[in-house]
Amino acid sequence: MNEQLISFAAQSARFLQDVTVDCCQQYFWMTIAAGIFGFLMACGIGANDVANAFATSVSAKSVTLKQAVVIAGICEFLGAMLLGASVTSTIKGKMIDTSLYADEPGVLMYGMLTSLVAASFILAVANYLALPVSTTHTIVGSIVGFSLAAKGFSSINWMEVGKIFISWVAAPVITGTAAALFFWVTRKFILLSEVPYKRAITLYPFIIFIAIGIDLFMVFYKAGKNSPQIKEWGLKFMIPAGFCISFFLAVVFHFLLSPYLQKRVEAKMERLEKAKTDKENEDVAHENAEAGEGEEKKSAMMKKILGEDGEEEKAEEQDGEEQPTDSKTTDANISRSERIKKNMTASFHKSMSKLGDATINRDIEAEAFAGSAKAKEMWETGEEFDPRAEEMFSYLQVLTACLLSFAHGANDVANAI
């Protein structure tokens, strides 16, 4: 009896193992494909949506393109790691009724894969055409489309999808209104005041208190969904904790970092003023030198220069005739492997240089001015304020860009996974 039970258990285990292996092998290609297209989707997000966070900072020359890439990489990662789970959960199962696919998990897997492929393709086309698009629009539309095709209208959780649609309309309106109000207040009461630099310094701690406080509150709020203890404490803990930490950071900034930034601003203004003065002196000296020269003196000097150049060119031609022999002798003495290594190294450096010129070494300002005369006109005729106040606000712009990048990592990076 015991032997029969053992034999039956062994056969059952082998059967389950065979079924599991067959099932895994059946869907294994989807796992690999999803990994590949998830990577492509993430690349598309990095090429498109990440620019939303740092485009203003780079165009205003608050940071260079290289610095923006490094800062964005750190902030996007932290946002995705700390807050990305909630958005991933919404994309994964709240927009469609996954219970309808309980008997057909393969259909759900295939539908999610096709959604990822479609979104990746749309992003690739948008990046090629340099069009700023929303990755959330692409992935949400793809998932809704596949579920409509697979299970019909009733498979969509229209209440949840409706919230997403409303956010697409409400977000530009709310942020646009807030930006307009903030800029109006800043321009009227700070930049156009009699002491704009002093008021810009005073404003800094308040911005840090509000911006970082809101971000920390969102971290606690999202973390509370996965932590029973934080969820039990509720808003009476999350709001005070977030803003108490931001208040502490604002005080630290005011007494420690603000004096350091002021010294940097003053030093930069002195350098710019010195460079401007030196250039003016050089221009004046050059104009005086040109005015003091007579036509006869210029003619005599040119003849003398041309005569010396002619002799130098003849000497260079004679040297140039002997040079190829030395070059050929040197190349002949180098072994074939060394020549190949030398050529490969030179080719690699040349390729990296071209890649850098096409990506992180690009002059965004020059490209914008070349592509749009109106952009150049706006830059040259734009309203000018106290340069020290503008320089102080450039650091604040980088801070807000970091916070925006953090929020973007928490939201849009989840679209790829």
Side-chain angles (χ1 to χ4, degrees):
M1 184 67 177
N2 291 334
E3 293 179 356
Q4 292 178 348
L5 289 175
I6 294 173
S7 176
F8 177 76
Q11 292 176 0
S12 300
R14 284 195 297 270
F15 174 76
L16 291 175
Q17 183 178 7
D18 294 339
V19 171
T20 303
V21 170
D22 292 340
C23 180
C24 291
Q25 289 178 347
Q26 181 181 357
Y27 300 126
F28 184 66
W29 70 272
M30 290 190 188
T31 305
I32 297 175
I36 295 173
F37 284 99
F39 175 80
L40 296 176
M41 177 75 172
C43 289
I45 293 173
N48 199 298
D49 276 17
V50 175
N52 297 337
F54 280 91
T56 55
S57 299
V58 174
S59 61
K61 296 185 178 180
S62 299
V63 292
T64 64
L65 189 58
K66 294 180 182 178
Q67 293 170 337
V69 170
V70 174
I71 297 172
I74 297 172
C75 295
E76 294 277 338
F77 171 77
L78 291 176
M81 181 180 67
L82 296 175
L83 302 179
S86 299
V87 179
T88 303
S89 177
T90 300
I91 295 293
K92 179 183 67 175
K94 292 185 179 180
M95 294 191 305
I96 61 176
D97 186 1
T98 54
S99 63
L100 297 176
Y101 300 91
D103 296 332
E104 298 176 306
V107 174
L108 180 61
M109 293 178 63
Y110 189 69
M112 288 293 185
L113 176 60
T114 55
S115 300
L116 192 59
V117 173
S120 302
F121 176 76
I122 293 297
L123 272 183
V125 173
N127 291 333
Y128 177 76
L129 298 176
L131 299 175
V133 298
S134 172
T135 55
T136 305
H137 287 56
T138 57
I139 194 67
V140 169
S142 299
I143 292 175
V144 170
F146 113 75
S147 191
L148 282 173
K151 295 295 182 178
F153 192 85
S154 60
S155 66
I156 309 298
N157 185 353
W158 291 108
M159 183 64 68
E160 192 68 30
V161 174
K163 292 179 182 179
I164 298 174
F165 288 168
I166 292 173
S167 70
W168 292 348
V169 178
V173 175
I174 295 173
T175 55
T177 303
L181 179 62
F182 181 74
F183 178 77
W184 181 83
V185 172
T186 303
R187 179 178 177 274
K188 184 173 181 61
F189 296 102
I190 297 178
L191 296 175
L192 295 179
S193 66
E194 296 181 357
V195 284
Y197 182 51
K198 184 177 180 180
R199 290 192 177 184
I201 296 172
T202 305
L203 179 67
Y204 247 85
F206 293 100
I207 298 297
I208 291 175
F209 170 71
I210 295 173
I212 296 182
I214 293 174
D215 266 39
L216 289 175
F217 164 70
M218 291 304 300
V219 170
F220 288 131
Y221 182 77
K222 294 296 184 180
K225 295 183 178 182
N226 300 319
S227 173
Q229 185 63 53
I230 297 179
K231 189 174 183 179
E232 182 180 352
W233 290 340
L235 296 178
K236 62 183 179 181
F237 161 78
M238 299 175 188
I239 296 177
F243 284 95
C244 282
I245 296 174
S246 67
F247 177 78
F248 171 76
L249 294 176
V251 171
V252 170
F253 172 85
H254 181 71
F255 289 102
L256 297 180
L257 294 179
S258 183
Y260 169 74
L261 289 183
Q262 293 176 48
K263 291 180 180 178
R264 284 183 59 109
V265 171
E266 295 293 345
K268 184 174 182 179
M269 292 299 106
E270 291 178 1
R271 291 195 305 269
L272 292 176
E273 188 65 28
K274 185 176 182 300
K276 182 179 179 182
T277 303
D278 293 342
K279 188 177 185 306
E280 290 177 352
N281 293 335
E282 290 178 1
D283 293 341
V284 171
H286 183 68
E287 290 176 1
N288 293 336
E290 288 183 349
E293 292 179 354
E295 293 296 331
E296 295 179 358
K297 189 175 180 180
K298 289 182 181 179
S299 178
M301 184 64 69
M302 290 299 295
K303 290 179 180 179
K304 184 178 179 181
I305 293 174
L306 291 173
E308 292 176 354
D309 288 346
E311 295 176 359
E312 290 177 0
E313 287 177 1
K314 291 179 180 179
E316 289 176 0
E317 288 177 0
Q318 294 176 357
D319 294 340
E321 292 175 358
E322 297 176 0
Q323 186 65 29
T325 304
D326 295 337
S327 177
K328 291 179 180 179
T329 304
T330 303
D331 291 340
N333 293 333
I334 299 177
S335 64
R336 184 171 181 271
S337 60
E338 290 177 347
R339 285 201 304 272
I340 293 175
K341 183 178 179 181
K342 182 180 179 181
N343 293 334
M344 290 180 64
T345 303
S347 178
F348 175 77
H349 286 300
K350 186 176 180 181
S351 299
M352 289 297 100
S353 178
K354 289 183 178 180
L355 178 62
D357 293 338
T359 54
I360 59 176
N361 292 331
R362 291 169 57 183
D363 190 341
I364 305 298
E365 180 185 358
E367 292 180 11
F369 290 166
S372 174
K374 186 176 181 180
K376 185 176 182 180
E377 180 184 356
M378 291 175 61
W379 180 271
E380 294 176 347
T381 61
E383 190 174 13
E384 294 185 3
F385 304 103
D386 184 350
R388 296 181 303 167
E390 289 186 348
E391 183 66 21
M392 200 68 179
F393 272 113
S394 68
Y395 295 104
L396 184 60
Q397 188 176 30
V398 175
L399 171 64
T400 54
C402 291
L403 297 178
L404 178 58
S405 180
F406 177 85
H408 176 267
N411 194 297
D412 282 17
V413 172
N415 295 336
I417 57 176

Short mmCIF file of all heavy atoms in Angstrom, two decimals, residues 312-364:
data_model
loop_
_atom_site.label_atom_id
_atom_site.label_comp_id
_atom_site.label_asym_id
_atom_site.label_seq_id
_atom_site.Cartn_x
_atom_site.Cartn_y
_atom_site.Cartn_z
N GLU A 312 59.18 80.92 -46.89
CA GLU A 312 58.81 79.85 -45.97
C GLU A 312 58.07 78.73 -46.69
O GLU A 312 58.28 77.55 -46.40
CB GLU A 312 57.93 80.41 -44.87
CG GLU A 312 58.70 81.33 -43.92
CD GLU A 312 57.78 81.95 -42.88
OE1 GLU A 312 56.58 81.64 -42.93
OE2 GLU A 312 58.27 82.69 -42.03
N GLU A 313 57.24 79.09 -47.68
CA GLU A 313 56.50 78.06 -48.41
C GLU A 313 57.44 77.19 -49.22
O GLU A 313 57.26 75.97 -49.31
CB GLU A 313 55.48 78.72 -49.33
CG GLU A 313 54.29 79.33 -48.58
CD GLU A 313 53.35 80.02 -49.53
OE1 GLU A 313 53.64 80.00 -50.75
OE2 GLU A 313 52.34 80.57 -49.06
N LYS A 314 58.49 77.79 -49.81
CA LYS A 314 59.45 76.98 -50.57
C LYS A 314 60.17 76.01 -49.65
O LYS A 314 60.38 74.85 -49.99
CB LYS A 314 60.46 77.90 -51.24
CG LYS A 314 59.87 78.73 -52.38
CD LYS A 314 60.93 79.62 -53.00
CE LYS A 314 60.34 80.45 -54.14
NZ LYS A 314 61.35 81.35 -54.73
N ALA A 315 60.56 76.53 -48.47
CA ALA A 315 61.25 75.64 -47.52
C ALA A 315 60.34 74.51 -47.09
O ALA A 315 60.76 73.35 -46.95
CB ALA A 315 61.72 76.45 -46.32
N GLU A 316 59.06 74.83 -46.88
CA GLU A 316 58.12 73.79 -46.46
C GLU A 316 57.89 72.78 -47.57
O GLU A 316 57.73 71.57 -47.30
CB GLU A 316 56.78 74.44 -46.07
CG GLU A 316 56.87 75.22 -44.77
CD GLU A 316 55.56 75.92 -44.47
OE1 GLU A 316 54.64 75.79 -45.28
OE2 GLU A 316 55.49 76.57 -43.42
N GLU A 317 57.89 73.23 -48.83
CA GLU A 317 57.70 72.29 -49.93
C GLU A 317 58.86 71.32 -50.02
O GLU A 317 58.69 70.12 -50.26
CB GLU A 317 57.58 73.07 -51.25
CG GLU A 317 56.25 73.80 -51.39
CD GLU A 317 56.20 74.60 -52.67
OE1 GLU A 317 57.21 74.56 -53.41
OE2 GLU A 317 55.17 75.25 -52.93
N GLN A 318 60.11 71.82 -49.78
CA GLN A 318 61.27 70.94 -49.80
C GLN A 318 61.21 69.93 -48.66
O GLN A 318 61.49 68.76 -48.82
CB GLN A 318 62.55 71.77 -49.71
CG GLN A 318 62.77 72.65 -50.95
CD GLN A 318 63.98 73.55 -50.79
OE1 GLN A 318 64.62 73.54 -49.74
NE2 GLN A 318 64.32 74.30 -51.84
N ASP A 319 60.81 70.43 -47.50
CA ASP A 319 60.68 69.51 -46.36
C ASP A 319 59.58 68.50 -46.62
O ASP A 319 59.68 67.34 -46.24
CB ASP A 319 60.36 70.30 -45.09
CG ASP A 319 61.54 71.19 -44.69
OD1 ASP A 319 62.66 70.91 -45.13
OD2 ASP A 319 61.30 72.17 -43.93
N GLY A 320 58.50 68.96 -47.28
CA GLY A 320 57.38 68.06 -47.53
C GLY A 320 57.74 66.96 -48.49
O GLY A 320 57.18 65.87 -48.47
N GLU A 321 58.70 67.20 -49.41
CA GLU A 321 59.10 66.16 -50.35
C GLU A 321 59.89 65.05 -49.64
O GLU A 321 59.85 63.91 -50.02
CB GLU A 321 59.95 66.77 -51.46
CG GLU A 321 59.14 67.70 -52.37
CD GLU A 321 60.03 68.38 -53.40
OE1 GLU A 321 61.26 68.13 -53.34
OE2 GLU A 321 59.50 69.13 -54.22
N GLU A 322 60.61 65.41 -48.58
CA GLU A 322 61.38 64.41 -47.85
C GLU A 322 60.55 63.68 -46.81
O GLU A 322 60.86 62.57 -46.42
CB GLU A 322 62.57 65.08 -47.16
CG GLU A 322 63.55 65.72 -48.14
CD GLU A 322 64.65 66.46 -47.43
OE1 GLU A 322 64.63 66.47 -46.18
OE2 GLU A 322 65.52 67.02 -48.10
N GLN A 323 59.46 64.31 -46.37
CA GLN A 323 58.67 63.76 -45.27
C GLN A 323 58.02 62.42 -45.59
O GLN A 323 58.03 61.51 -44.77
CB GLN A 323 57.59 64.77 -44.86
CG GLN A 323 56.78 64.37 -43.63
CD GLN A 323 57.66 64.32 -42.41
OE1 GLN A 323 58.65 65.04 -42.31
NE2 GLN A 323 57.32 63.45 -41.48
N PRO A 324 57.43 62.23 -46.77
CA PRO A 324 56.77 60.94 -47.05
C PRO A 324 57.71 59.76 -46.92
O PRO A 324 57.31 58.69 -46.49
CB PRO A 324 56.27 61.10 -48.49
CG PRO A 324 56.09 62.58 -48.65
CD PRO A 324 57.20 63.20 -47.86
N THR A 325 59.01 59.94 -47.27
CA THR A 325 59.96 58.84 -47.14
C THR A 325 60.10 58.41 -45.70
O THR A 325 60.09 57.23 -45.37
CB THR A 325 61.34 59.27 -47.70
OG1 THR A 325 61.16 59.72 -49.03
CG2 THR A 325 62.32 58.11 -47.64
N ASP A 326 60.21 59.45 -44.78
CA ASP A 326 60.34 59.12 -43.36
C ASP A 326 59.09 58.43 -42.86
O ASP A 326 59.15 57.49 -42.08
CB ASP A 326 60.59 60.40 -42.56
CG ASP A 326 61.93 61.04 -42.94
OD1 ASP A 326 62.80 60.30 -43.44
OD2 ASP A 326 62.07 62.27 -42.73
N SER A 327 57.91 58.91 -43.33
CA SER A 327 56.65 58.32 -42.88
C SER A 327 56.53 56.88 -43.34
O SER A 327 56.12 55.99 -42.59
CB SER A 327 55.48 59.14 -43.41
OG SER A 327 54.27 58.56 -43.05
N LYS A 328 56.92 56.62 -44.60
CA LYS A 328 56.84 55.25 -45.10
C LYS A 328 57.81 54.35 -44.36
O LYS A 328 57.50 53.19 -44.06
CB LYS A 328 57.15 55.24 -46.60
CG LYS A 328 56.07 55.90 -47.46
CD LYS A 328 56.46 55.87 -48.92
CE LYS A 328 55.39 56.54 -49.78
NZ LYS A 328 55.77 56.54 -51.21
N THR A 329 59.00 54.87 -44.07
CA THR A 329 59.98 54.06 -43.33
C THR A 329 59.45 53.71 -41.95
O THR A 329 59.59 52.57 -41.49
CB THR A 329 61.31 54.83 -43.21
OG1 THR A 329 61.74 55.20 -44.51
CG2 THR A 329 62.34 53.99 -42.51
N THR A 330 58.82 54.71 -41.30
CA THR A 330 58.28 54.46 -39.96
C THR A 330 57.17 53.43 -40.01
O THR A 330 57.11 52.52 -39.18
CB THR A 330 57.74 55.77 -39.36
OG1 THR A 330 58.80 56.73 -39.36
CG2 THR A 330 57.25 55.54 -37.94
N ASP A 331 56.24 53.56 -40.98
CA ASP A 331 55.15 52.59 -41.10
C ASP A 331 55.67 51.19 -41.42
O ASP A 331 55.10 50.20 -40.98
CB ASP A 331 54.18 53.03 -42.21
CG ASP A 331 53.42 54.28 -41.81
OD1 ASP A 331 53.35 54.55 -40.59
OD2 ASP A 331 52.91 54.99 -42.71
N ALA A 332 56.77 51.11 -42.18
CA ALA A 332 57.32 49.80 -42.53
C ALA A 332 57.91 49.10 -41.31
O ALA A 332 57.89 47.87 -41.22
CB ALA A 332 58.38 49.95 -43.61
N ASN A 333 58.45 49.89 -40.39
CA ASN A 333 59.05 49.31 -39.19
C ASN A 333 58.00 48.83 -38.19
O ASN A 333 58.32 48.06 -37.29
CB ASN A 333 59.97 50.34 -38.51
CG ASN A 333 61.18 50.66 -39.38
OD1 ASN A 333 61.62 49.82 -40.18
ND2 ASN A 333 61.72 51.85 -39.23
N ILE A 334 56.74 49.31 -38.30
CA ILE A 334 55.68 48.90 -37.38
C ILE A 334 55.10 47.57 -37.86
O ILE A 334 54.83 47.39 -39.04
CB ILE A 334 54.57 49.97 -37.32
CG1 ILE A 334 55.15 51.29 -36.81
CG2 ILE A 334 53.44 49.52 -36.41
CD1 ILE A 334 54.15 52.43 -36.80
N SER A 335 54.91 46.68 -36.93
CA SER A 335 54.37 45.37 -37.28
C SER A 335 52.91 45.49 -37.72
O SER A 335 52.24 46.49 -37.43
CB SER A 335 54.47 44.42 -36.09
OG SER A 335 53.67 44.88 -35.03
N ARG A 336 52.44 44.45 -38.39
CA ARG A 336 51.06 44.48 -38.90
C ARG A 336 50.05 44.54 -37.76
O ARG A 336 49.05 45.27 -37.83
CB ARG A 336 50.82 43.22 -39.74
CG ARG A 336 49.45 43.18 -40.42
CD ARG A 336 49.38 42.03 -41.40
NE ARG A 336 48.09 42.00 -42.06
CZ ARG A 336 47.03 41.35 -41.61
NH1 ARG A 336 47.13 40.68 -40.46
NH2 ARG A 336 45.89 41.37 -42.27
N SER A 337 50.29 43.80 -36.68
CA SER A 337 49.38 43.80 -35.53
C SER A 337 49.33 45.17 -34.86
O SER A 337 48.27 45.64 -34.44
CB SER A 337 49.79 42.75 -34.51
OG SER A 337 51.10 43.02 -34.03
N GLU A 338 50.49 45.83 -34.79
CA GLU A 338 50.53 47.16 -34.19
C GLU A 338 49.78 48.18 -35.05
O GLU A 338 49.11 49.07 -34.53
CB GLU A 338 51.98 47.60 -33.98
CG GLU A 338 52.70 46.81 -32.89
CD GLU A 338 54.16 47.24 -32.76
OE1 GLU A 338 54.64 47.94 -33.68
OE2 GLU A 338 54.79 46.88 -31.75
N ARG A 339 49.92 48.04 -36.39
CA ARG A 339 49.19 48.94 -37.27
C ARG A 339 47.68 48.74 -37.13
O ARG A 339 46.92 49.71 -37.11
CB ARG A 339 49.62 48.71 -38.73
CG ARG A 339 50.99 49.27 -39.06
CD ARG A 339 51.15 49.47 -40.57
NE ARG A 339 50.92 48.24 -41.31
CZ ARG A 339 51.85 47.33 -41.59
NH1 ARG A 339 53.10 47.52 -41.17
NH2 ARG A 339 51.56 46.26 -42.28
N ILE A 340 47.26 47.48 -37.04
CA ILE A 340 45.83 47.19 -36.88
C ILE A 340 45.32 47.78 -35.56
O ILE A 340 44.25 48.40 -35.49
CB ILE A 340 45.57 45.67 -36.93
CG1 ILE A 340 45.88 45.14 -38.33
CG2 ILE A 340 44.13 45.36 -36.55
CD1 ILE A 340 45.78 43.64 -38.44
N LYS A 341 46.11 47.59 -34.49
CA LYS A 341 45.72 48.11 -33.18
C LYS A 341 45.64 49.63 -33.21
O LYS A 341 44.71 50.24 -32.66
CB LYS A 341 46.73 47.66 -32.13
CG LYS A 341 46.38 48.09 -30.71
CD LYS A 341 47.40 47.56 -29.73
CE LYS A 341 47.05 48.01 -28.31
NZ LYS A 341 48.06 47.52 -27.32
N LYS A 342 46.62 50.26 -33.87
CA LYS A 342 46.63 51.71 -33.98
C LYS A 342 45.43 52.22 -34.75
O LYS A 342 44.78 53.20 -34.35
CB LYS A 342 47.94 52.16 -34.65
CG LYS A 342 48.09 53.66 -34.77
CD LYS A 342 49.41 54.01 -35.44
CE LYS A 342 49.57 55.52 -35.59
NZ LYS A 342 50.84 55.87 -36.27
N ASN A 343 45.11 51.56 -35.87
CA ASN A 343 43.97 51.97 -36.67
C ASN A 343 42.65 51.77 -35.93
O ASN A 343 41.73 52.60 -36.02
CB ASN A 343 43.95 51.19 -37.99
CG ASN A 343 45.11 51.55 -38.89
OD1 ASN A 343 45.66 52.65 -38.80
ND2 ASN A 343 45.50 50.64 -39.76
N MET A 344 42.53 50.65 -35.20
CA MET A 344 41.31 50.39 -34.44
C MET A 344 41.12 51.42 -33.33
O MET A 344 40.01 51.89 -33.08
CB MET A 344 41.36 48.98 -33.84
CG MET A 344 41.23 47.86 -34.86
SD MET A 344 41.28 46.23 -34.11
CE MET A 344 39.81 46.27 -33.10
N THR A 345 42.22 51.79 -32.65
CA THR A 345 42.14 52.80 -31.60
C THR A 345 41.70 54.14 -32.16
O THR A 345 40.83 54.82 -31.59
CB THR A 345 43.49 52.95 -30.90
OG1 THR A 345 43.90 51.68 -30.37
CG2 THR A 345 43.41 53.97 -29.76
N ALA A 346 42.31 54.52 -33.29
CA ALA A 346 41.94 55.79 -33.92
C ALA A 346 40.49 55.77 -34.38
O ALA A 346 39.76 56.76 -34.23
CB ALA A 346 42.86 56.07 -35.10
N SER A 347 40.05 54.63 -34.93
CA SER A 347 38.66 54.51 -35.39
C SER A 347 37.69 54.58 -34.22
O SER A 347 36.63 55.20 -34.31
CB SER A 347 38.48 53.20 -36.15
OG SER A 347 37.15 53.03 -36.55
N PHE A 348 38.06 53.94 -33.08
CA PHE A 348 37.19 53.97 -31.90
C PHE A 348 37.05 55.38 -31.36
O PHE A 348 35.94 55.83 -31.06
CB PHE A 348 37.78 53.05 -30.83
CG PHE A 348 37.02 53.09 -29.53
CD1 PHE A 348 35.82 52.42 -29.39
CD2 PHE A 348 37.51 53.81 -28.44
CE1 PHE A 348 35.12 52.47 -28.20
CE2 PHE A 348 36.82 53.86 -27.25
CZ PHE A 348 35.61 53.18 -27.13
N HIS A 349 38.18 56.11 -31.26
CA HIS A 349 38.12 57.47 -30.75
C HIS A 349 37.31 58.37 -31.68
O HIS A 349 36.56 59.25 -31.22
CB HIS A 349 39.54 58.04 -30.60
CG HIS A 349 40.28 57.48 -29.42
ND1 HIS A 349 39.83 57.60 -28.13
CD2 HIS A 349 41.45 56.78 -29.34
CE1 HIS A 349 40.68 57.02 -27.30
NE2 HIS A 349 41.67 56.51 -28.01
N LYS A 350 37.45 58.14 -32.98
CA LYS A 350 36.69 58.93 -33.94
C LYS A 350 35.19 58.65 -33.81
O LYS A 350 34.37 59.57 -33.86
CB LYS A 350 37.17 58.61 -35.35
CG LYS A 350 36.54 59.49 -36.43
CD LYS A 350 37.13 59.18 -37.80
CE LYS A 350 36.51 60.06 -38.88
NZ LYS A 350 37.07 59.74 -40.22
N SER A 351 34.83 57.37 -33.62
CA SER A 351 33.42 57.00 -33.47
C SER A 351 32.84 57.60 -32.20
O SER A 351 31.71 58.10 -32.20
CB SER A 351 33.28 55.48 -33.46
OG SER A 351 33.76 54.92 -34.67
N MET A 352 33.61 57.52 -31.10
CA MET A 352 33.13 58.08 -29.84
C MET A 352 32.97 59.60 -29.94
O MET A 352 32.05 60.19 -29.36
CB MET A 352 34.11 57.74 -28.71
CG MET A 352 34.11 56.27 -28.30
SD MET A 352 32.52 55.71 -27.62
CE MET A 352 31.82 54.89 -29.06
N SER A 353 33.89 60.23 -30.68
CA SER A 353 33.79 61.68 -30.86
C SER A 353 32.52 62.04 -31.64
O SER A 353 31.81 62.99 -31.29
CB SER A 353 35.02 62.19 -31.59
OG SER A 353 34.93 63.58 -31.83
N LYS A 354 32.22 61.27 -32.69
CA LYS A 354 31.00 61.52 -33.46
C LYS A 354 29.76 61.27 -32.62
O LYS A 354 28.78 62.02 -32.70
CB LYS A 354 30.98 60.62 -34.70
CG LYS A 354 31.99 61.01 -35.78
CD LYS A 354 31.84 60.12 -37.00
CE LYS A 354 32.81 60.53 -38.11
NZ LYS A 354 32.67 59.65 -39.29
N LEU A 355 29.79 60.20 -31.80
CA LEU A 355 28.65 59.90 -30.93
C LEU A 355 28.43 61.03 -29.93
O LEU A 355 27.30 61.44 -29.67
CB LEU A 355 28.89 58.58 -30.20
CG LEU A 355 27.79 58.15 -29.22
CD1 LEU A 355 26.48 57.93 -29.96
CD2 LEU A 355 28.21 56.88 -28.47
N GLY A 356 29.53 61.54 -29.34
CA GLY A 356 29.41 62.63 -28.39
C GLY A 356 28.86 63.89 -29.04
O GLY A 356 28.01 64.59 -28.47
N ASP A 357 29.34 64.19 -30.27
CA ASP A 357 28.85 65.37 -30.97
C ASP A 357 27.37 65.26 -31.32
O ASP A 357 26.67 66.28 -31.43
CB ASP A 357 29.67 65.60 -32.26
CG ASP A 357 31.11 65.98 -31.96
OD1 ASP A 357 31.37 66.46 -30.84
OD2 ASP A 357 31.97 65.79 -32.84
N ALA A 358 26.91 64.03 -31.51
CA ALA A 358 25.50 63.82 -31.87
C ALA A 358 24.59 63.74 -30.65
O ALA A 358 23.37 63.80 -30.79
CB ALA A 358 25.36 62.54 -32.70
N THR A 359 25.16 63.62 -29.45
CA THR A 359 24.34 63.45 -28.24
C THR A 359 24.66 64.51 -27.20
O THR A 359 24.15 65.62 -27.24
CB THR A 359 24.53 62.04 -27.67
OG1 THR A 359 25.95 61.79 -27.45
CG2 THR A 359 24.00 60.98 -28.62
N ILE A 360 25.53 64.18 -26.25
CA ILE A 360 25.72 65.04 -25.08
C ILE A 360 26.56 66.28 -25.35
O ILE A 360 26.58 67.20 -24.52
CB ILE A 360 26.36 64.24 -23.93
CG1 ILE A 360 27.72 63.66 -24.35
CG2 ILE A 360 25.45 63.14 -23.45
CD1 ILE A 360 28.44 62.94 -23.22
N ASN A 361 27.27 66.34 -26.47
CA ASN A 361 28.09 67.52 -26.77
C ASN A 361 27.40 68.51 -27.70
O ASN A 361 28.03 69.45 -28.18
CB ASN A 361 29.42 67.09 -27.41
CG ASN A 361 30.31 66.33 -26.44
OD1 ASN A 361 30.24 66.56 -25.23
ND2 ASN A 361 31.13 65.44 -26.95
N ARG A 362 26.13 68.31 -27.94
CA ARG A 362 25.41 69.20 -28.84
C ARG A 362 25.18 70.57 -28.20
O ARG A 362 24.98 70.67 -26.98
CB ARG A 362 24.05 68.59 -29.21
CG ARG A 362 24.15 67.36 -30.07
CD ARG A 362 22.82 66.65 -30.20
NE ARG A 362 21.79 67.52 -30.74
CZ ARG A 362 20.52 67.13 -30.89
NH1 ARG A 362 20.16 65.91 -30.55
NH2 ARG A 362 19.64 67.96 -31.37
N ASP A 363 25.24 71.60 -29.00
CA ASP A 363 24.95 72.96 -28.55
C ASP A 363 23.46 73.22 -28.80
O ASP A 363 23.06 73.60 -29.90
CB ASP A 363 25.82 73.96 -29.31
CG ASP A 363 25.74 75.36 -28.71
OD1 ASP A 363 24.77 75.62 -27.97
OD2 ASP A 363 26.63 76.19 -28.99
N ILE A 364 22.64 73.00 -27.77
CA ILE A 364 21.20 73.12 -27.92
C ILE A 364 20.79 74.54 -28.27
O ILE A 364 19.90 74.77 -29.10
CB ILE A 364 20.50 72.68 -26.61
CG1 ILE A 364 20.93 71.27 -26.22
CG2 ILE A 364 18.99 72.75 -26.78
CD1 ILE A 364 20.57 70.22 -27.22
#
